[in-house]
Amino acid sequence: MKKLLNTLYVTSENSYLALDGENIVIYDDKKELGRVPLHNLEEIVSFGYRGTSPALMGACAERNISLCYMTPQGKFLARVTGKVRGNVILREQQYASSKDEQVGLEIAQNCILGKVHNARWVLERAVRDHSMQIDAERVKKASEMLKNSLMLFQNSTSRDELRGYEGEAASIYFSVFDELILQQKKDFQFQGRTKRPQGRNKRQPIDKMNAMMSFVYTLLTNMEASALECVGLDPCVGYLHTERPGRASLALDMMEELRSVLADRFVLSLVNKRMITAKNFTQKENGAVLLDDDGRKVILTEWQNRKKETITHPYLQEKVEWGMVPYVQAMLLARFLRGDLDGYPAFLWK
């Protein structure tokens, strides 16, 4: 159980939520885990299957407190609200801001500033911790180039210009990514992102690292989409990624901040700790490399473990689990769109 701003997150999958007077009470079997006054809450997010008492659902609907239900793995199930009071206004503000070039540019800039800042510090960590195992000068040079590119993002005058700078920064980062692979280098060579290689199967990666990265990026994007659903935002209306039918553009925008610091570091740890090996992959005739069932099971299990690790959120200055970070960022974006914050605070890790 964790309260962040005005949202209560109940992360125990065996928890049952009930009402006692003006308090929400969290039970595990018949044991009370804690209670929180309802008047302090705007939203309750539950990662479990056991449910909520009808009395609590009624009290939340009456007080305009939304109840959001997720699977223990973080997949969005449903949101229960009372009479529509806030979400329609929030979504109207979201839609208007996506069409407003200045506001849309500002949000997109912050997402990319967060992405490149975090990518740079992933490289800096590698230099600090593994300088004897990597080409430290090469990685340091790439880090310095990323640092210098931050000013370009801040001074960009359109989203198209920003996308161009972002592509250049991504190329710099991935040009030294192979240095961060410390074990099994022969089996896990990385020569750049190939999520859509040329050929008959354009959506399938052609090396092992890309196969894992694409899989974990999908997990992260799904987390972001669920987080946006929870706060009442439309995952499909974004600021940096262009809108297409069926594309979760805003979820893709938001995952950029966490791409290197959460997803890439996670994939590297699986390889460097030999939790995933070359035996977990097969190669098709067209060159596409596929992760096998055992490999996916390892990734999913370790991904759940990684999400439970705690950090100090750089903006809130509170301890949170990694799995909660997308929900915090979605909440902060919603607060900005409602006018409660002067700007969207990107997630800046160090």
Side-chain angles (χ1 to χ4, degrees):
M1 183 177 75
K2 178 71 174 178
K3 184 173 179 290
L4 294 172
L5 299 180
N6 297 104
T7 300
L8 177 67
Y9 296 93
V10 183
T11 55
S12 170
E13 61 185 83
N14 293 317
S15 294
Y16 179 77
L17 314 182
L19 181 69
D20 183 11
E22 291 295 311
N23 299 298
I24 174 176
V25 185
I26 298 93
Y27 294 99
D28 190 335
D29 287 330
K30 296 183 179 180
K31 180 182 178 182
E32 182 178 322
L33 298 181
R35 57 178 60 211
V36 178
L38 283 176
H39 70 265
N40 289 334
L41 298 176
E42 292 179 357
E43 182 172 28
I44 300 165
V45 181
S46 175
F47 291 80
Y49 289 119
R50 295 194 60 198
T52 307
S53 73
L56 177 60
M57 294 180 70
C60 288
E62 194 175 295
R63 294 163 176 77
N64 200 32
I65 301 170
S66 68
L67 276 164
C68 191
Y69 296 99
M70 319 287 288
T71 69
Q73 292 74 36
K75 181 181 178 182
F76 177 80
L77 294 174
R79 187 194 312 111
V80 179
T81 61
K83 295 178 181 178
V84 176
R85 297 188 183 101
N87 284 346
V88 65
I89 297 173
L90 175 60
R91 291 204 182 207
E92 283 179 349
Q93 291 166 329
Q94 177 189 1
Y95 300 146
S97 66
S98 73
K99 302 302 180 186
D100 185 309
E101 184 59 36
Q102 189 56 44
V103 177
L105 175 62
E106 179 184 337
I107 295 172
Q109 282 174 322
N110 287 354
C111 289
I112 297 306
L113 283 169
K115 172 183 180 175
V116 176
H117 169 95
N118 294 335
R120 178 184 173 235
W121 282 104
V122 168
L123 300 184
E124 288 289 326
R125 279 281 186 99
V127 172
R128 185 195 73 182
D129 297 339
H130 308 289
S131 60
M132 302 299 290
Q133 297 174 266
I134 65 175
D135 186 341
E137 283 302 313
R138 181 169 172 245
V139 176
K140 193 74 178 174
K141 182 179 178 181
S143 171
E144 193 65 25
M145 292 172 70
L146 291 179
K147 179 183 177 181
N148 294 335
S149 72
L150 294 174
M151 190 62 68
L152 296 174
F153 302 133
Q154 292 174 318
N155 295 333
S156 56
T157 58
S158 71
R159 280 180 267 189
D160 283 340
E161 184 180 12
L162 180 64
R163 291 184 189 104
Y165 291 143
E166 184 272 333
E168 292 174 6
S171 295
I172 294 169
Y173 168 70
F174 284 125
S175 71
V176 296
F177 191 77
D178 190 65
E179 292 288 337
L180 309 188
I181 303 170
L182 307 177
Q183 303 290 332
Q184 308 184 86
K185 288 189 75 75
K186 182 179 179 181
D187 291 327
F188 288 90
Q189 293 181 0
F190 181 85
Q191 297 179 337
R193 278 292 285 149
T194 55
K195 60 178 179 177
R196 291 186 178 88
Q198 296 300 315
R200 288 180 296 166
N201 239 321
K202 295 183 179 181
R203 289 187 178 273
Q204 292 185 343
I206 57 173
D207 65 57
K208 301 176 186 67
M209 286 299 292
N210 273 288
M212 282 195 294
M213 291 165 76
S214 293
F215 183 57
V216 175
Y217 288 168
T218 299
L219 297 177
L220 180 55
T221 303
N222 289 339
M223 284 175 61
E224 296 285 0
S226 295
L228 293 165
E229 291 272 13
C230 275
V231 301
L233 290 169
D234 188 337
C236 295
V237 178
Y239 301 95
L240 181 69
H241 290 82
T242 54
E243 295 172 15
R244 298 178 193 162
R247 186 186 204 184
S249 297
L250 184 55
L252 293 171
D253 291 353
M254 301 291 285
M255 71 91 70
E256 293 292 353
E257 301 168 48
L258 301 180
R259 186 190 288 266
S260 62
V261 69
L262 181 53
D264 292 350
R265 289 176 69 237
F266 171 71
V267 169
L268 286 167
S269 71
L270 294 176
V271 175
N272 290 335
K273 293 178 181 178
R274 299 180 181 272
M275 302 176 80
I276 292 287
T277 68
K279 295 179 180 178
N280 294 119
F281 299 87
T282 57
Q283 188 167 21
K284 299 181 69 175
E285 292 181 2
N286 64 356
V289 174
L290 303 180
L291 186 65
D292 67 12
D293 288 342
D294 289 339
R296 280 192 291 271
K297 289 176 184 177
V298 170
I299 290 176
L300 291 171
T301 299
E302 293 305 315
W303 182 246
Q304 288 301 105
N305 292 334
R306 178 60 59 91
K307 290 195 298 180
K308 294 175 184 176
E309 295 178 7
T310 59
I311 59 163
T312 299
H313 191 279
Y315 182 78
L316 298 183
Q317 289 299 303
E318 289 191 45
K319 290 281 188 182
V320 299
E321 295 178 351
W322 268 114
M324 290 293 102
V325 173
Y327 298 88
V328 175
Q329 294 306 122
M331 181 169 50
L332 292 173
L333 177 60
R335 289 195 161 212
F336 166 64
L337 292 173
R338 287 199 299 257
D340 298 334
L341 297 174
D342 293 333
Y344 166 65
F347 181 82
L348 302 176
W349 177 81
K350 189 172 179 179

